[in-house]
């Protein structure tokens, strides 16, 4: 397994890119540590597959260098990079048996047949296809085929990294959970460097130690699930992660206070840097308190979702969401306050530090 450095990687699919908008990847400068389990999370079209294919060598970036363990491999082919990649849809040999499909990548590398057999059997167990070993892949269901694909990615232990590109899309929800847990165990056991692409926050947050959030061709934040929740570096991370996402509202900053329409909100501290451009306050629904004191709101909707309630209300003419415990009730004349611990301030969508 290897440490992967992406040095100032940019990529445009068009031949003569001029502005940032012409780049599918604007600038990615980042290191995937050896043995790390990363999720690459972002909406469709943000550049996840582009980045993964640049790492595996299916695509050569227009600018920048790629290093494996400090060695420049930018110009090496996929084969030479020694990476396993699992795609969204099955890539298997229909005419081969399930067993031979898994054995193929090993035999291809000249692994001794006894070792091939051991690894293949182990992998078949893991993907739950041990009973299907002798069957031809043709005629299997879409999710069985995808499990074979997954198995082909996992069967080799000598790879520099294993890349997964939304590999569980065609798998049913229960099996998804099972396979994801197995991937996680595998990571703990063998310490593979794994990069797992998904647009599903639950998948990302349960799989990864570090989540890399992408938006519009850029990495906007890399952090643990807790960091992404507590301190979203970009308003996009606030919206995209969480359910419902972070409330974001335009404010004016005045010393240690933020002004929202006619309301004044105390900040946890003064801004460390002067916020230029448009200034916004972000607060997750979990930190919005409903009571008999604070800023007046009108409640428009209450969604009961088991362990808690999501309250939708209007504050100074803008919609705001709050999360309440299942036993908490909504006061007759509801007012809200913000827990200072949950307040983040953004200038032109990027978080500004507060303190002092
Ligand atoms: P994701 O995997 O996050 O959905 P992609 O990396 O596939 O995103 O795509 C990023 C951007 O690059 C999108 O705007 C997409 O339309 C564009 N793109 C992807 N592949 C190609 C291609 N082969 N040719 C031209 N544009 C492409
Ligand atoms: Mg993709």
């Amino acid at each position: 397994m290897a440490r992967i450095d992406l040095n100032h990687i940019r990529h445009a699919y068009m031949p003569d890119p001029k502005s940032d908008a012409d780049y599918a990847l604007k600038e990615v400068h980042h290191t995937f540590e050896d043995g790390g389990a990363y999720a690459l999370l972002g909406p469709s079209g943000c550049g996840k597959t582009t980045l993964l294919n640049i790492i595996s060598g299916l695509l050569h970036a227009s600018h920048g260098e790629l290093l494996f363990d400090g060695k420049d491999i930018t110009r090496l082919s996929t084969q030479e990079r020694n990476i396993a990649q699992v795609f969204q849809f099955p890539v298997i040999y229909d005419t081969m048996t399930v067993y031979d499909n898994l054995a193929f990548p090993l035999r291809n590398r000249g692994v001794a047949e006894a070792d091939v057999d051991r690894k293949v059997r182990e992998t078949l167990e893991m993907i739950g296809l041990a009973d299907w070993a002798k069957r031809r892949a043709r005629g299997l269901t879409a999710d069985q085929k995808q499990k074979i694909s997954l198995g082909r990615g996992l069967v080799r232990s000598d790879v520099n990294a294993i890349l997964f590109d939304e590999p569980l899309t065609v798998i049913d929800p229960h099996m998804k959970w099972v396979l994801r847990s197995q991937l996680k165990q595998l990571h703990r056991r063998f310490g593979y460097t794994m990069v797992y692409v998904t647009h599903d926050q639950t998948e990302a947050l349960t799989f990864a130690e570090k989540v890399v959030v992408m938006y519009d061709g850029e990495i906007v934040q890399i952090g643990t699930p807790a960091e992404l929740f507590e301190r979203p570096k970009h308003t996009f991370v606030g919206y995209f992660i969480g359910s419902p996402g972070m409330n974001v509202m335009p404010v004016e900053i005045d010393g240690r206070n933020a002004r929202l329409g006619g309301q004044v909100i105390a900040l946890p501290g003064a801004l460390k840097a002067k916020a230029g451009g448009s200034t916004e306050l972000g607060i997750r629904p979990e930190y919005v308190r409903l009571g008999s004191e604070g800023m007046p709101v009108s409640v428009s909707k209450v969604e009961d979702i088991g362990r808690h309630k999501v309250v939708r209300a209007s504050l100074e003419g803008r919609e705001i969401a709050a999360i309440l415990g299942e036993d908490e009730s909504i006061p007759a004349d509801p007012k809200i306050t913000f827990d200072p611990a949950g307040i983040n301030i953004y200038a032109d969508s990027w978080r500004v530090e507060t303190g002092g």
Side-chain angles (χ1 to χ4, degrees), residues 146-193:
Q146 184 61 358
K147 284 190 218 161
I148 301 174
S149 247
L150 207 56
R152 284 164 52 97
L154 300 171
V155 76
R156 286 169 56 202
S157 41
D158 64 332
V159 290
N160 280 317
I162 311 180
L163 311 180
F164 303 91
D165 196 351
E166 314 213 24
L168 304 182
T169 309
V170 297
I171 307 268
D172 76 74
H174 174 70
M175 196 62 205
K176 237 184 203 161
W177 188 85
V178 172
L179 287 174
R180 207 164 55 222
S181 315
Q182 282 171 343
L183 290 181
K184 221 174 153 165
Q185 273 177 27
L186 211 71
H187 176 259
R188 284 205 203 100
R189 210 166 122 205
F190 298 109
Y192 296 133
T193 307

Side-chain angles (χ1 to χ4, degrees), residues 128-289:
L129 288 180
D131 294 341
W132 298 75
K134 295 207 174 78
R135 291 279 294 270
R136 282 189 201 289
R138 179 192 294 141
L140 300 192
T141 63
D143 72 91
Q144 286 173 321
K145 288 186 181 180
Q146 184 61 358
K147 284 190 218 161
I148 301 174
S149 247
L150 207 56
R152 284 164 52 97
L154 300 171
V155 76
R156 286 169 56 202
S157 41
D158 64 332
V159 290
N160 280 317
I162 311 180
L163 311 180
F164 303 91
D165 196 351
E166 314 213 24
L168 304 182
T169 309
V170 297
I171 307 268
D172 76 74
H174 174 70
M175 196 62 205
K176 237 184 203 161
W177 188 85
V178 172
L179 287 174
R180 207 164 55 222
S181 315
Q182 282 171 343
L183 290 181
K184 221 174 153 165
Q185 273 177 27
L186 211 71
H187 176 259
R188 284 205 203 100
R189 210 166 122 205
F190 298 109
Y192 296 133
T193 307
M194 288 184 168
V195 184
Y196 186 102
V197 164
T198 177
H199 62 268
D200 177 341
Q201 56 163 314
T202 313
E203 221 170 281
L205 299 174
T206 52
F207 171 77
E209 296 162 335
K210 284 280 179 74
V211 179
V212 180
V213 185
M214 289 186 70
Y215 173 61
D216 199 15
E218 282 182 282
I219 293 177
V220 285
Q221 185 166 7
I222 299 163
T224 61
E227 286 163 350
L228 300 180
F229 183 83
E230 297 289 335
R231 295 288 172 253
K233 268 176 80 175
H234 191 278
T235 50
F236 173 76
V237 179
Y239 297 128
F240 197 66
I241 290 171
S243 175
M246 186 170 72
N247 298 294
V248 178
M249 53 208 86
V251 291
E252 276 167 50
I253 303 294
D254 183 6
R256 295 179 69 117
N257 293 316
R259 223 194 313 264
L260 169 70
Q263 307 297 330
V264 175
I265 301 158
L267 300 179
L271 299 191
K272 283 194 175 156
K274 201 172 151 47
S278 72
T279 319
E280 290 165 304
L281 182 149
I283 184 144
R284 291 204 177 271
E286 288 81 353
Y287 291 100
V288 177
R289 311 265 174 261

Side-chain angles (χ1 to χ4, degrees), residues 301-319:
K301 201 165 144 205
V302 180
E303 297 156 41
D304 205 330
I305 38 181
R307 306 265 292 278
H308 60 253
K309 292 178 211 157
V310 177
V311 178
R312 310 269 179 186
S314 167
L315 168 66
E316 293 283 309
R318 341 187 95 254
E319 189 185 293

Side-chain angles (χ1 to χ4, degrees), residues 11-14 23-25 42-53 59 88 165-166 197 214 217:
H11 187 73
Y13 285 100
M14 56 171 70
Y23 283 85
L25 280 183
S44 174
C46 71
K48 304 181 297 295
T49 295
T50 302
L51 184 55
L52 216 61
N53 289 347
L59 196 64
Q88 194 165 1
D165 196 351
E166 314 213 24
V197 164
M214 289 186 70

Side-chain angles (χ1 to χ4, degrees), residues 3-59:
R3 161 197 158 106
I4 301 171
D5 291 303
L6 298 154
N7 284 348
H8 303 288
I9 295 282
R10 287 162 71 74
H11 187 73
Y13 285 100
M14 56 171 70
D16 190 20
K18 292 191 173 65
S19 68
D20 260 5
D22 295 341
Y23 283 85
L25 280 183
K26 295 193 174 70
E27 163 100 16
V28 173
H29 189 69
H30 174 61
T31 297
F32 291 103
E33 296 297 342
D34 188 0
Y38 296 89
L40 219 54
L41 174 69
S44 174
C46 71
K48 304 181 297 295
T49 295
T50 302
L51 184 55
L52 216 61
N53 289 347
I54 286 172
I55 297 174
S56 68
L58 286 177
L59 196 64

